[in-house]
Amino acid sequence: MIMPSYKIAVACLGLAAWIPFAARAQLVVDNPSPSYVLSPTDTPPAPYQGILGSAVFLSTSVDSLNSLQLLGSGYLVLEQPSGPKPAPAYPITSAVIYKAGVQIASAPISYGSPEWRTTESAVPGVPTYILLVPFNFICSRSYAPAVVTAGSYRLNLTDGTNAFSFVEFALAPAPPLPKLDIQVVGKATVVSWQDPGASGLVALQESADFQRWSTVAFSTRASGSITNSVGAGQRFYRLRSGL
């Protein structure tokens, strides 16, 4: 899930000013994809045959307001050729986030109801039994400048000692947001900005009360200048970013 960041500028008659109204995103997930496949690493102990799953970020920005959060789900796959039997203890107990080999967060694994399925084995006409055990987790870490920094990370599904599956990701410094400049020229307000980099700019928006926002057209996607006629009362502007 992409959490938007904002910079808001306040424009009143005869006043030119900008005010940052939300905590600036410090770090973002580098090249995020909709889903990260949990890749098996250690060979599961018999009779487990495999682990299927994926992880998604609940927030791709990490700062004083947004923690690093990963949501994962999948299945343990167990094969019992001789038929359904009571399931043994499931090996995965927790999801753990590591930074440079140091654990910075952990969360327990929650299991759903096991489901037996029948499928054909390697011998034609001879069935085998597969047990699918759904699992899920939410692993998070609050932002701390001394702990959560730019670099490579790894989330392991583990029994406390061995890693059974993992997903790797990286955090990078957030690109700078552009600065709004507001000037009153005659009977018009001129709102302008220059994008210092790939800020992920989405739109310029305006409001009269901080409650209802409308998008204002601008000249280019990267930078622009908007001229509005001056009316009674005050008007607020913000640049909405996809960070």
Side-chain angles (χ1 to χ4, degrees):
M1 179 188 306
I2 297 177
M3 301 295 290
S5 297
Y6 302 104
K7 244 181 188 178
I8 299 176
V10 179
C12 299
L13 294 182
L15 174 67
W18 66 270
I19 301 175
F21 233 79
R24 177 71 175 88
Q26 299 295 315
L27 297 168
V28 293
V29 180
D30 193 23
N31 297 321
S33 65
S35 179
Y36 292 76
V37 176
L38 294 167
S39 303
T41 171
D42 291 352
T43 301
Y48 287 91
Q49 302 300 310
I51 297 172
L52 306 175
S54 65
V56 295
F57 287 93
L58 299 183
S59 174
T60 55
S61 66
V62 186
D63 55 33
S64 58
L65 299 179
N66 300 304
S67 61
L68 175 65
Q69 300 181 82
L70 287 93
L71 169 68
S73 62
Y75 291 91
L76 296 179
V77 184
L78 179 150
E79 185 175 358
Q80 294 277 30
S82 60
K85 295 180 180 179
Y90 306 138
I92 301 174
T93 58
S94 58
V96 182
I97 298 178
Y98 293 94
K99 170 72 167 70
V102 177
Q103 177 178 323
I104 64 170
S106 65
I109 299 293
S110 298
Y111 287 101
S113 300
E115 178 185 349
W116 285 101
R117 295 187 182 180
T118 304
T119 186
E120 190 172 284
S121 68
V123 179
V126 178
T128 188
Y129 298 88
I130 300 293
L131 179 64
L132 299 179
V133 188
F135 67 83
N136 62 78
F137 63 86
I138 298 179
C139 196
S140 65
R141 177 62 165 85
S142 298
Y143 175 73
V147 178
V148 182
T149 58
S152 298
Y153 290 75
R154 181 183 179 108
L155 181 139
N156 283 352
L157 300 185
T158 176
D159 62 0
T161 302
N162 300 305
F164 294 96
S165 193
F166 72 95
V167 60
E168 293 180 327
F169 60 96
L171 295 181
L177 290 175
K179 175 184 176 181
L180 277 175
D181 181 66
I182 301 176
Q183 297 181 354
V184 177
V185 181
K187 295 183 178 181
T189 57
V190 179
V191 182
S192 61
W193 66 93
Q194 292 293 324
D195 191 350
S199 67
L201 183 65
V202 175
L204 173 71
Q205 297 180 327
E206 67 177 5
S207 173
D209 56 9
F210 280 115
Q211 301 299 318
R212 294 172 295 275
W213 291 91
S214 60
T215 298
V216 182
F218 51 85
S219 56
T220 67
R221 181 174 180 82
S223 61
S225 177
I226 304 298
T227 301
N228 286 328
S229 60
V230 174
Q234 58 189 2
R235 189 172 299 171
F236 306 93
Y237 294 91
R238 70 183 182 185
L239 290 176
R240 181 176 180 180
S241 168
L243 294 177

